[in-house]
């Protein structure tokens, strides 16, 4: 396994293919909701590969000058529970700290709360529906 960060077309295509498998086919989110205006040619992604197979991805975007907003975060079903998601999120936080971020704020599916809590995220909102899925906003201070 290896991880790549960037916005090359081949790399974005791998991230999009994985997002299609997980969010559109598995979770039944519409194509229009999943692939949004933030999916620009300049948008960077972390992707974990096993050979040429994308097995985990997370979109790298800032909410503001001091806040990273991890988004479109998923791991291929048969690779879940192996620490890949944790590795991806920690890599993203490390990059964000280097880019001057102090906080990480994300939209968490309610089914993933224990995962995020294990990484020191705390609930920061009431429940809401995003793309047809029950979510809450979570926050973590990543740098002092």
């Amino acid at each position: 396994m290896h991880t790549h960060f960037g916005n090359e077309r081949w790399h974005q295509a791998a991230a999009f293919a994985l997002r299609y498998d997980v969010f559109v086919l598995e979770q039944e989110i519409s194509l229009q909701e999943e692939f949004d205006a933030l999916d620009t040619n300049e948008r960077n992604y972390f992707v974990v590969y096993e050979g040429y197979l994308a097995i985990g991805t997370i979109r790298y975007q800032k909410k503001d000058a001091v806040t990273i907003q991890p988004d479109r975060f998923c791991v291929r079903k048969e690779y879940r529970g192996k620490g890949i998601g944790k590795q991806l999120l920690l890599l993203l936080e490390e990059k964000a700290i280097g880019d001057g971020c102090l906080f990480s704020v994300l939209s968490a599916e309610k089914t993933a709360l224990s995962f995020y809590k294990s990484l020191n995220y705390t609930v920061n909102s009431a429940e809401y529906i995003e793309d047809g899925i029950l979510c809450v906003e979570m926050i973590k201070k990543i740098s002092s």
Side-chain angles (χ1 to χ4, degrees):
M1 278 190 264
H2 68 281
T3 303
H4 181 76
F5 176 76
N7 64 4
E8 302 89 350
R9 295 304 292 156
W10 60 267
H11 183 64
Q12 287 184 339
F16 292 173
L18 178 56
R19 287 171 47 195
Y20 178 82
D21 287 349
V22 173
F23 294 122
V24 177
L25 296 180
E26 184 183 329
Q27 294 185 342
E28 299 181 346
I29 293 171
S30 75
L31 283 166
Q32 294 80 2
E33 289 175 320
E34 177 54 30
F35 298 98
D36 59 21
L38 297 175
D39 285 318
T40 65
N41 290 342
E42 297 80 32
R43 183 69 61 209
N44 287 299
Y45 293 83
F46 282 96
V47 178
V48 178
Y49 294 94
E50 185 171 82
Y52 291 118
L53 181 66
I55 59 174
T57 189
I58 192 167
R59 185 164 70 182
Y60 187 85
Q61 63 192 23
K62 284 188 166 186
K63 183 174 183 174
D64 57 44
V66 296
T67 310
I68 191 70
Q69 186 174 10
D71 195 22
R72 300 307 197 254
F73 179 27
C74 62
V75 174
R76 191 171 294 280
K77 193 173 195 172
E78 55 271 27
Y79 289 87
R80 292 178 195 153
K82 299 180 181 196
I84 295 165
K86 178 180 179 180
Q87 171 195 343
L88 268 175
L89 192 52
L90 293 175
L91 276 172
L92 178 136
E93 290 173 6
E94 184 178 304
K95 167 95 175 101
I97 291 167
D99 289 346
C101 291
L102 304 175
F103 301 96
S104 176
V105 174
L106 52 80
S107 180
E109 295 178 12
K110 287 283 294 210
T111 57
L113 281 184
S114 61
F115 168 77
Y116 291 113
K117 286 179 179 179
S118 76
L119 294 171
N120 299 315
Y121 280 81
T122 57
V123 175
N124 194 40
S125 76
E127 295 177 352
Y128 56 90
I129 301 291
E130 182 175 296
D131 299 335
I133 296 173
L134 191 59
C135 297
V136 292
E137 183 180 270
M138 297 188 85
I139 189 167
K140 176 182 179 180
K141 186 172 185 181
I142 58 173
S143 182
S144 48

